[in-house]
Amino acid sequence: MGKLTQPGETMPDATPLTPGITSGRLSAETLSQNFDDLHPAYAPHEAAVAADRCYFCHDAPCITACPTDIDIPLFLRQIQTGTPEAAAKTILSQNILGGMCARVCPTETLCEEACVREAAEGKPVEIGRLQRFATDTLMRAGKHPFTRAKSTGKSVAVVGAGPSGLSCAHRLAMHGHDVVLFDARAKAGGLNEFGIAAYKSTDGFAAQEVDWLLKIGGITVETGQRLGQELSLDELQNEYDAVFIGIGLSGVNSLRAAGEEREGVSDAVSFIADLRQASDLSGLPVGRDVVVIGGGMTAVDAAVQSKLLGAQNVTIVYRRGQDQMGASRFEQDLATSKGVRIVANAQPVAIHGNGAVAEAEFEYTTTKDGTLKGTGETFRIKADQLFKAIGQTLEGAPEALKLDGRKIAVTGAGRTSVKGIWAGGDCASGGDDLTVTAVAEGRDAAEDIHSTLMGGK
Ligand SMILES: Cc1cc2nc3c(=O)[nH]c(=O)nc-3n(C[C@H](O)[C@H](O)[C@H](O)COP(=O)(O)OP(=O)(O)OC[C@H]3O[C@@H](n4cnc5c(N)ncnc54)[C@H](O)[C@@H]3O)c2cc1C
Ligand code: SF4
């Protein structure tokens, strides 16, 4: 196997064909082209033409399909009439992370799938790109469109500065509460900063959006504060009038295949976090023959980004049929268009190699009476790097809170089993592990906290 380089170290003369895990497979120029914006921004005249395709439907199905219930026909009309900042305010009043959601939402399975022009012509109004046009226009102008209500004298601890925590903190601050936003990591943003594919959130947008959101005032961010270590739930309950928990899913599932500990086998989520934080992508090592196990967005993102970093062969292996993959058809097509191979109906059996991974062995699967079973027939794929992307798990939830399956049990707008404590986003029961849903849940919990603190409930 080839040389393992340290992040930041570039191997001279490496190419996509160099064996092993190495950095510097592609030139800086090619890398910058590869990781360019997935959906380039609209120019103002293009946006006006695109918005003009909207029929401004009564009872618009696109609104129902949006987890944050944005008034889509209203903001499209505002763009069409040349008032993109008003359009942005329409979006942000429902979804304060409307800028990020415009970049990362699987619109093809949400608003754009529901758009009547999709049903009629197979070409929906490009709601996501238009949302981005509006929010980018307002953010570029450095404006924050909301102001805080008079101070209520109440304080709320929000734990986790990902989409759910940020959205909850902003809405609480708007209502006049003082918020302390704690996060275990050194930087706020959650998976917007550490998880979303680099070509969806370019030019440091996640950090810019956090800075912009904090302009509401009344939110203090405390990083390096982990619930269960530096923070305890008891202390937070004593010190604050309410607590919101939005800690996401920071654990990862294991493969339970022999040889999982071999060098070159790692979590897709950690690889993606390193990629998102790398100041120079040519210093990031990647294998020549990369295998990714899983079928969700994380698997697709790890595979596509490995390819874009210069891996020669990248294969996603998923245990069920391709139509059951968690990643949308758009994401799957993106992967195959970049040269990623998708092998469906195969489950990992063993990781082979002498110290480091050299091959991954799989067994074909079939589904009988609703149960997935191995057929007994196996095959091997060459691999010098293997990423596990078979789901994230809840870690660090306080013991006092009841669980529902593997998530924190909540009812209504995020109420947990303990009075005064709310939860939302990926860590809480009932969601669908999307950025936009986390934003909606954080916002709704904030409204419920507000009315509870003000004596309404
Ligand atoms: C690789 C990847 C790609 C994705 N791509 C997309 C996409 O393209 N589109 C999409 O809609 N969704 C995508 N998702 C899903 C989306 O990122 C999540 O649904 C969303 O980030 C959930 O928000 P959250 O606030 O619940 O949690 P997170 O974003 O996970 O944020 C949780 C925060 O809590 C902090 N934290 C964790 N434990 C503690 C603790 N004990 N104490 C204090 N702080 C703690 C973490 O540091 C983090 O900042 C992706 C997910 C992954 C993993
Ligand atoms: S469904 Fe499509 S055409 Fe109708 S209001 Fe929504 S975006 Fe416009």
Side-chain angles (χ1 to χ4, degrees), residues 104 163-164 183-185 190-191 200 227 247 297 425-426 433-435:
V104 307
S164 63
D183 201 282
R185 292 204 192 240
L191 289 172
K200 291 185 188 169
L227 186 63
I247 56 175
M297 254 190 251
D426 287 3
D433 297 354
L434 289 178
T435 309

Side-chain angles (χ1 to χ4, degrees), residues 53-57 60-63 72-73 76 111 114-117 125 127:
R53 290 189 64 238
C54 179
Y55 293 141
F56 309 112
C57 310
C62 54
I63 304 181
I72 293 166
L76 293 174
C111 54
C115 175
V116 297
R117 291 204 79 143
V125 176
I127 301 166

Side-chain angles (χ1 to χ4, degrees), residues 35 42 80 103 132 181 203 228 261 275 289 322 383 419 431:
F35 283 88
Y42 273 134
Q80 186 217 24
R103 290 161 164 79
R132 173 170 170 184
L181 180 54
D203 302 324
E261 69 297 336
L275 194 146
D289 301 296
Q322 196 170 335
K419 197 162 177 265

Side-chain angles (χ1 to χ4, degrees), residues 233-247:
L233 192 59
D234 283 351
E235 281 164 15
L236 294 178
Q237 279 181 290
N238 287 337
E239 281 177 40
Y240 297 88
D241 297 298
V243 179
F244 174 82
I245 297 178
I247 56 175

Side-chain angles (χ1 to χ4, degrees), residues 28-218:
E29 197 188 344
T30 308
L31 285 170
S32 131
Q33 281 163 8
N34 282 359
F35 283 88
D36 204 6
D37 221 325
L38 183 61
H39 299 294
Y42 273 134
H45 67 281
E46 291 173 321
V49 171
D52 198 40
R53 290 189 64 238
C54 179
Y55 293 141
F56 309 112
C57 310
H58 180 64
D59 280 339
C62 54
I63 304 181
T64 317
C66 171
T68 51
D69 302 309
I70 293 172
D71 190 339
I72 293 166
L74 174 61
F75 94 68
L76 293 174
R77 192 178 287 284
Q78 289 165 319
I79 291 177
Q80 186 217 24
T81 54
T83 53
E85 292 190 9
K89 193 165 179 188
T90 302
I91 296 160
L92 298 163
S93 61
Q94 287 296 105
N95 179 339
I96 197 63
L97 295 182
M100 182 58 84
C101 288
R103 290 161 164 79
V104 307
C105 262
T107 50
E108 64 282 359
T109 59
L110 297 170
C111 54
E112 292 181 16
E113 183 183 50
C115 175
V116 297
R117 291 204 79 143
E118 167 65 21
E121 303 156 42
K123 191 174 180 319
V125 176
E126 287 192 278
I127 301 166
R129 282 182 76 190
L130 286 159
Q131 175 164 318
R132 173 170 170 184
F133 169 75
T135 49
D136 281 3
T137 304
L138 184 113
M139 286 173 71
R140 245 196 325 269
K143 293 184 185 161
H144 191 92
F146 306 107
T147 47
R148 288 192 79 192
K150 201 164 131 270
S151 172
T152 61
K154 305 277 183 193
S155 64
V156 183
V158 173
V159 186
S164 63
L166 285 165
S167 154
C168 182
H170 184 273
R171 187 55 67 109
L172 288 166
M174 249 175 88
H175 283 309
H177 307 295
D178 289 329
V179 182
V180 183
L181 180 54
F182 297 100
D183 201 282
R185 292 204 192 240
K187 234 179 183 176
L191 289 172
N192 283 359
E193 177 62 46
F194 294 93
I196 295 295
Y199 44 80
K200 291 185 188 169
S201 172
T202 54
D203 302 324
F205 179 76
Q208 286 168 31
E209 193 178 40
V210 171
D211 290 345
W212 171 86
L213 177 147
L214 295 175
K215 284 188 183 171
I216 184 74

Side-chain angles (χ1 to χ4, degrees), residues 244-266:
F244 174 82
I245 297 178
I247 56 175
L249 302 172
S250 53
V252 283
N253 288 322
S254 66
L255 288 179
R256 294 200 213 100
E260 197 172 333
E261 69 297 336
R262 289 195 192 288
E263 201 183 321
V265 178
S266 61

